[in-house]
Amino acid sequence: MSSSTDPNRVIIFDTTLRDGEQSPGASMNLEEKLRIAELLEEMGADVIEAGFPIASNGDFESVNEVAKLVKESTVCGLARSARGDIERAADALKPAKQSRIHTFISTSPLHMKYKLQMDPDDVYQAVIDSVRYARNFTDDVEWSAEDGSRTEHDFLCRCVEAAINAGATTINIPDTVGYAIPEEFGELIAMLVKRVPNSDKAIYSTHCHNDLGLAVANSLAGVSNGARQIECTINGLGERAGNAALEEIVMSLRTRQDRLPFVTGIDTECITRASKLVSTITGFTVQPNKAIVGANAFAHESGIHQDGMLKHAQTYEIMTPESVGLTKSTLVMGKHSGRHAFRVKLKELGYELGDNALQEAFRRFKDLADKKKEVYDEDLVALVDDEVLRGNDRIKFESLMVVCGSRGPQTAELELDVDGEHCSTKAVGDGPVDATFNAIKALVPHEARLQLYQVNAVTEGTDAQAEATVRLEEDGKSVNGQGADTDTLVASARAYVNALNKLMVKREKTAPGALSA
């Protein structure tokens, strides 16, 4: 999918599964990664960076399984310049129909001196050696100059030329610390295209971080000056302030054809579904005013705006909700809705469930419909994601009974399934949430520290489902968990249990010594 004869075709390189997962708390298990990879391929992502195979056995397995699953997109594995990294990536990518090895090394004076402790000449030789070695395993090799935006121009040109001569087909220029501004980053790409004599033999790529809130702007400036690949993530997920957001990049290119006459292969109607899936899996709630996918992105409360919208939608909307996969409901769900209507509605929302998963989701829907007058699309998304995506968890929520109020003591009676064994306990606490979390700790002893606890309403009204987020930290590793229920305390318990399950996954991961581009 990544090859094209159209000079204005921009390759979308999605790194949600690799760079996105480096966000503190954003660990994903194998099933979740495969689900995201499947949707990314359906969306039309040209390249899916599935992980960093040398990082851990879990990362290797993830890349290997994505390589088996994906048929149309190119599957990419990240590697430092060391031979062991490259060999590990090559092994993980063996099943892929189309594979890419993405190797990198730092090129800025700051990184070379303090991080790598290498002389520029040694770094230059490492560029050549790593790209040549990677070419033994695949014809599709990408080379990245980590901290490229703070690299001296002469040295960067020298390294890029050497990488292309050694066989790199894509040259990625990362703004690793989000330091650049758009004019500056665009000029950097233009300078490379002009000065590097073999530029025509490779595709230039951008990989911009969002520390100053300029990742998308810098990426678009790069494309305007000759780059033809953008590295990005769903919801802008990524370490620190995140990466360039795929949805913002794609919709900017689609909406502003007058100034950005470029095309991608992304099916934009999958954007909302992808955003919700990644948000649910990672526990990273999308802020309401987030561009394209936020809950308020197509909402209008001002009377002036509403009046304009009623007269002509384009007065205040530069794109349609339908263009990003938001559809007006044609089926109103309630307690009298049957299994067939439920299945059709889920398909409308982008879910294809197997019989067992559908049966369990339908059971929870009926329970929800008994509590709510009307079940909204957002309720169904929260319900299905909360239930189905947790199918392989080692710890499963069963029931909770809480006694609370001003007279205390507040108590929680909790039942969990832990590795197939039914467990129950009763605990007290300073309030109902504290009692609930103390009960979980009693059944699943751990030393993790609660860093964040927040609750949001999924829809309007006093009968709305609550969506709780819990962040736990243990030994420098943090994870986010999410849970949904009409009962806020049940949602909180589900979120805490979800975070504990993710912490178990995180414990198995050992990050390599050098961070990626």
Side-chain angles (χ1 to χ4, degrees):
M1 292 174 70
S2 59
S3 61
S4 173
T5 55
D6 185 348
N8 288 332
R9 172 71 154 84
V10 174
I11 295 165
I12 297 297
F13 177 114
D14 185 277
T15 184
T16 303
L17 299 178
R18 198 277 300 171
D19 203 342
E21 202 201 12
Q22 288 180 200
S23 299
S27 59
M28 312 171 196
N29 63 35
L30 178 59
E31 181 187 2
E32 291 167 342
K33 286 188 173 183
L34 292 176
R35 194 176 165 105
I36 291 173
E38 194 171 36
L39 184 49
L40 288 173
E41 181 171 41
E42 182 184 340
M43 284 181 72
D46 299 292
V47 185
I48 300 171
E49 189 167 49
F52 202 163
I54 197 71
S56 68
N57 290 334
D59 247 38
F60 177 92
E61 182 187 14
S62 295
V63 176
N64 192 248
E65 291 300 322
V66 171
K68 292 175 185 175
L69 173 73
V70 169
K71 298 294 184 266
E72 297 297 326
S73 303
T74 296
V75 182
C76 180
L78 188 70
R80 291 166 298 184
S81 59
R83 285 196 166 205
D85 279 43
I86 294 167
E87 289 168 358
R88 191 72 168 153
D91 286 344
L93 291 166
K94 277 181 180 176
K97 187 175 179 182
Q98 300 172 93
S99 66
R100 174 182 295 187
I101 293 176
H102 178 191
T103 182
F104 71 95
I105 192 169
S106 295
T107 54
S108 70
L110 194 66
H111 277 222
M112 288 190 292
K113 181 178 180 180
Y114 293 104
K115 189 179 116 169
L116 298 180
Q117 296 180 334
M118 291 173 66
D119 293 329
D121 286 345
D122 293 330
V123 170
Y124 174 78
Q125 190 59 48
V127 172
I128 297 169
D129 293 344
S130 60
V131 173
R132 278 181 180 167
Y133 193 59
R135 278 300 297 259
N136 291 325
F137 303 101
T138 177
D139 291 337
D140 191 348
V141 175
E142 176 171 336
W143 177 73
S144 282
E146 184 176 11
D147 207 21
S149 60
R150 295 193 296 177
T151 298
E152 293 175 342
H153 286 192
D154 287 349
F155 184 64
L156 185 59
C157 287
R158 186 178 167 217
C159 287
V160 168
E161 182 180 2
I164 297 172
N165 281 336
T169 51
T170 301
I171 298 295
N172 183 43
I173 307 299
D175 183 28
T176 302
V177 294
Y179 182 72
I181 61 174
E183 183 180 13
E184 175 186 29
F185 192 76
E187 289 173 352
L188 177 62
I189 298 297
M191 181 275 296
L192 290 168
V193 171
K194 182 179 180 180
R195 284 185 55 184
V196 175
N198 51 4
S199 281
D200 60 323
K201 293 181 171 61
I203 292 171
Y204 281 97
S205 172
T206 69
H207 181 112
C208 298
H209 280 263
N210 205 39
D211 298 70
L212 293 176
L214 296 170
V216 169
N218 284 335
S219 301
L220 295 175
V223 168
S224 294
N225 284 276
R228 287 297 178 268
Q229 175 178 286
I230 296 178
E231 304 195 359
C232 47
T233 60
I234 301 294
N235 295 339
L237 195 67
E239 54 191 331
R240 302 188 315 279
N243 288 273
L246 179 148
E247 61 277 3
E248 295 176 24
I249 293 221
V250 169
M251 292 311 293
S252 292
L253 294 177
R254 172 173 166 158
T255 306
R256 291 306 308 272
Q257 284 284 295
D258 56 325
R259 299 301 297 267
L260 298 165
F262 308 104
V263 295
T264 73
I266 296 294
D267 178 357
T268 63
E269 292 185 7
C270 294
I271 283 175
T272 296
R273 184 153 48 106
S275 172
K276 288 177 178 176
L277 179 64
V278 170
S279 175
T280 299
I281 285 175
T282 60
F284 279 48
T285 304
V286 175
Q287 67 193 59
N289 62 329
K290 165 77 169 65
I292 315 300
V293 292
N296 292 347
F298 294 95
H300 306 272
E301 188 166 329
S302 160
I304 295 173
H305 286 211
Q306 290 174 343
D307 180 64
M309 282 292 297
L310 290 171
K311 291 172 178 172
H312 196 292
Q314 288 184 350
T315 53
Y316 287 102
E317 280 188 354
I318 59 173
M319 65 196 97
T320 66
E322 291 79 11
S323 69
V324 296
L326 280 171
T327 55
K328 288 193 170 76
S329 179
T330 55
L331 282 172
V332 178
M333 304 301 293
K335 65 180 181 179
H336 299 298
S337 299
R339 193 183 307 269
H340 177 69
F342 180 69
R343 185 193 290 270
V344 170
K345 167 56 73 174
L346 291 189
K347 189 171 183 180
E348 198 177 282
L349 294 173
Y351 293 95
E352 293 273 7
L353 303 185
D355 290 340
N356 291 339
L358 180 71
Q359 184 174 339
E360 183 58 30
F362 185 68
R363 181 192 65 77
R364 282 198 66 190
F365 159 69
K366 281 294 191 180
D367 291 341
L368 180 63
D370 283 336
K371 300 173 186 176
K372 295 194 65 177
K373 293 179 181 178
E374 186 173 335
V375 179
Y376 297 94
D377 290 358
E378 293 87 349
D379 289 316
L380 292 177
V381 169
L383 180 153
V384 174
D385 284 343
D386 185 63
E387 184 68 34
V388 176
L389 293 177
R390 314 301 175 215
N392 293 328
D393 285 349
R394 289 177 56 189
I395 311 167
K396 296 180 180 179
F397 173 86
E398 289 192 344
S399 71
L400 175 68
M401 175 69 74
V402 176
V403 176
C404 62
S406 60
R407 293 183 180 178
Q410 290 79 30
T411 63
E413 295 182 39
L414 177 71
E415 296 183 11
L416 298 177
D417 181 307
V418 182
D419 288 328
E421 181 180 345
H422 176 79
C423 304
S424 62
T425 193
K426 183 174 181 179
V428 298
D430 184 14
V433 175
D434 189 48
T436 299
F437 289 177
N438 286 341
I440 296 173
K441 290 178 187 176
L443 293 181
V444 188
H446 59 276
E447 298 298 322
R449 185 174 65 89
L450 181 65
Q451 281 189 321
L452 172 74
Y453 168 64
Q454 65 183 29
V455 178
N456 298 301
V458 174
T459 56
E460 298 175 352
T462 56
D463 63 351
Q465 280 195 100
E467 195 167 59
T469 300
V470 165
R471 180 179 298 157
L472 300 179
E473 184 270 332
E474 179 185 72
D475 297 330
K477 303 181 181 74
S478 61
V479 293
N480 286 345
Q482 223 171 19
D485 197 272
T486 51
D487 187 306
T488 302
L489 295 174
V490 172
S492 302
R494 287 182 178 275
Y496 199 109
V497 167
N498 180 228
L500 279 178
N501 279 298
K502 290 190 173 187
L503 197 60
M504 292 179 178
V505 174
K506 200 80 168 178
R507 284 170 181 166
E508 300 171 1
K509 293 181 179 290
T510 305
L515 286 175
S516 58

